[in-house]
Amino acid sequence: MIPVQGYQGQRVAVLGLGRSGLATAASLRAGGAEPLCWDDSPEARARAEAAGFVCHDLTRATAWGEVAALIVSPGIPHLYPAPNKLIARAMAEGVPVDNDIGLFFRSFATDDWDGFDQTPKVVAVTGSNGKSTTTALIHHILKSAGRPTQMAGNIGRGVLDLDPPAEGEVVVLELSSYQTDLARALTPDVAVFTNLSPDHLDRHGGIGGYFAAKRRLFAEGGPDRAVIGVDEPEGVYLANQIATAREDDRVIRVSSARKLGDFGWSVFARKGFLSEWRRGRQVASVDLRDMAGLPGAHNHQNACAAWAATRSLGLAPREIEAGLRSFAGLPHRSQTVAEAGGVRFVNDSKATNVDSAAKALQAFPRIRWIAGGLGKEGGISGLKPYLGAVVKAYLIGHSARDFALELGDVPQEICETMDRAVARAAAEAEPGDTVLLAPAAASFDQYPNFEKRGEHFTALVVAQLGSAV
């Protein structure tokens, strides 16, 4: 646990009592504060009380006396599409509003570090797509190289649930736009921006607000090193805003689409080969094509970002390459779950939007594509340029018929359920085909989350193939 600093002897309200909320309350208490917990759900309040916390009704007119700060869970809106009424009340009362990420950064360093020869560091990863894989990959490379490391944030543990860092340890955080948007402190040593595509637009008031939330990771704290994907205009802009000159090697530009040899420091992948360049010279190269845990150009971008981040932490190319080769990938993200009879079955249930589905559709040569769910605004018309490898689409969920209309002449079948889609795709697949779950839609019509959707797909594949797996 990371005890929260700066609130000793003060009352701090905690709104939202899920995993991060309860961890926040515990960390506040460990730091000497008095946490006052509240959640609209009676069940959540009961869990908090069972854990020994005091529930304090923030809806009462007299609830805000002597409250030093309000700490909110990331899922609670503070501005768009409309601020939560309790957050609005706190702001009107002049009570500072923060989240667990802000508390983490203000509390991470301690006096114990005075005895360290190597101080701990924080790598923070944000972006629209690939941030989970990039975060896990950085953590895996560090671990495989023998460096002490922990991983948290939007993946794995809550940030305040981490152990106090050891000497030289690297904490790797995945941070969503919900987390970066409100945090009052953002001071990573290395900050990574993977890419940007439209998502969560209602929460941020449009694409500009969404990008601004991501940009705060770089603008607020001024990381020592910024690793920035420049395959979209926003990344090009962000790199240009931070760098003081073309040769400024505090900014490491990464790309999976083009050569970047004219900058102070860059890492890029072309035709499956990763190259690192410094001041106009290539200093390292590695073949990514046979790395099973990193299929496709989108994963090659993740590899470039992880390479840049770990190189900036002092790892040697051979150490990073070994970590890349041993990385098995993350569940639900281009995860190969089975191969039988020359057919590969890939679970990319995390591909919940058009941009992430497009990347998955470019990763394999012959695809039997399982898509659908609760479609997002704009449908899947943006995928038309990426359907060349699709042999047939098997459509499920609420948006199946809408997707069928948008696919036009692409061979397709409305299956409605995952069970039927997997059975039909497996029956029709031929050697060389990939049966790919890349829904391009949310899961909430049939599943509580994308993880459960991916787990169901995997279970059906295993059951379908039986002993052939």
Side-chain angles (χ1 to χ4, degrees), residues 3 29 90 98 101 155 179 301 312 322 397 430 453:
R29 187 165 60 187
D98 204 349
I101 303 302
I155 183 173
Q179 294 169 309
Q301 183 191 53
S312 72
E430 300 174 356
R453 177 170 59 189

Side-chain angles (χ1 to χ4, degrees), residues 42-202:
E43 293 79 12
R45 296 198 299 270
R47 287 194 298 271
E49 289 174 339
F53 297 110
V54 173
C55 284
H56 183 75
D57 188 353
L58 296 177
T59 65
R60 291 187 293 107
T62 58
W64 296 93
E66 299 182 5
V67 171
L70 172 65
I71 312 303
V72 304
S73 294
I76 303 174
H78 60 274
L79 189 56
Y80 302 115
N84 175 277
K85 62 183 180 181
L86 295 178
I87 296 177
R89 174 70 185 278
M91 291 182 175
E93 294 276 352
V95 175
V97 179
D98 204 349
N99 62 17
D100 61 336
I101 303 302
L103 296 182
F104 168 82
F105 278 111
R106 70 181 285 169
S107 307
F108 184 58
T110 68
D111 292 340
D112 295 339
W113 292 19
D114 292 341
F116 290 167
D117 291 328
Q118 286 187 301
T119 58
K121 294 185 181 297
V122 177
V123 178
V125 181
T126 195
S128 295
N129 300 304
K131 59 183 179 292
S132 295
T133 297
T134 300
T135 301
L137 185 54
I138 293 169
H139 175 66
H140 174 79
I141 291 168
L142 290 166
K143 192 173 182 179
S144 68
R147 292 284 294 271
T149 178
Q150 298 182 74
M151 179 174 67
N154 205 42
I155 183 173
R157 304 161 73 180
V159 291
L160 294 174
D161 216 15
L162 289 167
D163 300 324
E167 179 173 351
E169 187 163 27
V170 180
V171 171
V172 190
L173 304 180
E174 178 194 341
L175 300 182
S176 72
S177 59
Y178 290 11
Q179 294 169 309
T180 58
D181 198 17
L182 191 60
R184 297 173 72 91
L186 287 168
T187 54
D189 298 280
V190 180
V192 180
F193 175 84
T194 58
N195 49 58
L196 196 86
S197 62
D199 209 358
H200 309 304
L201 301 189
D202 59 336

Side-chain angles (χ1 to χ4, degrees), residues 114-456:
D114 292 341
F116 290 167
D117 291 328
Q118 286 187 301
T119 58
K121 294 185 181 297
V122 177
V123 178
V125 181
T126 195
S128 295
N129 300 304
K131 59 183 179 292
S132 295
T133 297
T134 300
T135 301
L137 185 54
I138 293 169
H139 175 66
H140 174 79
I141 291 168
L142 290 166
K143 192 173 182 179
S144 68
R147 292 284 294 271
T149 178
Q150 298 182 74
M151 179 174 67
N154 205 42
I155 183 173
R157 304 161 73 180
V159 291
L160 294 174
D161 216 15
L162 289 167
D163 300 324
E167 179 173 351
E169 187 163 27
V170 180
V171 171
V172 190
L173 304 180
E174 178 194 341
L175 300 182
S176 72
S177 59
Y178 290 11
Q179 294 169 309
T180 58
D181 198 17
L182 191 60
R184 297 173 72 91
L186 287 168
T187 54
D189 298 280
V190 180
V192 180
F193 175 84
T194 58
N195 49 58
L196 196 86
S197 62
D199 209 358
H200 309 304
L201 301 189
D202 59 336
R203 174 65 182 263
H204 297 291
I207 189 70
Y210 178 51
F211 176 51
K214 302 287 189 185
R215 185 179 178 274
R216 291 191 75 244
L217 185 62
F218 301 83
E220 295 296 318
D224 295 335
R225 197 79 66 180
V227 177
I228 301 176
V230 293
D231 288 339
E232 291 83 28
E234 292 84 1
V236 175
Y237 169 82
L238 183 57
N240 184 267
Q241 286 274 296
I242 298 171
T244 58
R246 178 182 296 168
E247 56 275 4
D248 185 352
D249 64 4
R250 294 174 308 148
V251 176
I252 309 176
R253 293 167 172 85
V254 302
S255 173
S256 62
R258 58 194 175 94
K259 179 180 177 180
L260 298 172
D262 297 329
F263 299 99
W265 199 346
S266 62
V267 182
F268 59 88
R270 294 179 69 197
K271 299 181 179 179
F273 287 87
L274 180 150
S275 298
E276 178 187 356
W277 284 62
R278 296 201 195 187
R279 298 186 180 274
R281 294 179 56 251
Q282 180 174 300
V283 297
S285 178
V286 63
D287 187 351
L288 302 173
R289 293 174 300 174
D290 62 346
M291 296 185 183
L294 296 166
H298 62 303
N299 274 310
H300 294 174
Q301 183 191 53
N302 300 334
C304 288
W307 181 285
T310 49
R311 282 287 274 156
S312 72
L313 293 169
L315 268 65
R318 66 180 182 280
E319 294 177 299
I320 302 172
E321 181 177 357
L324 293 175
R325 291 197 178 281
S326 60
F327 183 64
L330 285 180
H332 319 299
R333 298 161 177 86
S334 293
Q335 175 195 17
T336 297
V337 298
E339 292 189 52
V343 178
R344 178 188 295 190
F345 294 80
V346 175
N347 167 21
D348 202 346
S349 183
K350 185 63 168 65
T352 59
N353 58 35
V354 164
D355 189 68
S356 54
K359 290 177 169 60
L361 290 170
Q362 296 174 78
F364 308 99
R366 284 176 50 84
I367 296 171
R368 295 190 178 273
W369 178 32
I370 299 176
L374 189 61
K376 297 189 175 182
E377 185 178 350
I380 57 169
S381 58
L383 288 175
K384 288 181 180 178
Y386 309 105
L387 300 176
V390 175
V391 177
K392 184 176 177 180
Y394 304 82
L395 304 174
I396 63 173
H398 179 270
S399 299
R401 284 167 176 77
D402 292 336
F403 281 18
L405 291 173
E406 292 186 75
L407 288 175
D409 295 335
V410 174
Q412 59 187 261
E413 182 177 338
I414 294 178
C415 297
E416 296 187 345
T417 67
M418 185 73 76
D419 301 65
R420 179 168 174 79
V422 170
R424 295 290 297 146
E428 295 181 353
E430 300 174 356
D433 287 355
T434 294
V435 176
L436 171 68
L437 171 64
S443 61
F444 306 126
D445 57 334
Q446 295 178 318
Y447 302 92
N449 50 52
F450 73 84
E451 291 95 341
K452 291 298 183 185
R453 177 170 59 189
E455 289 167 7
H456 189 207

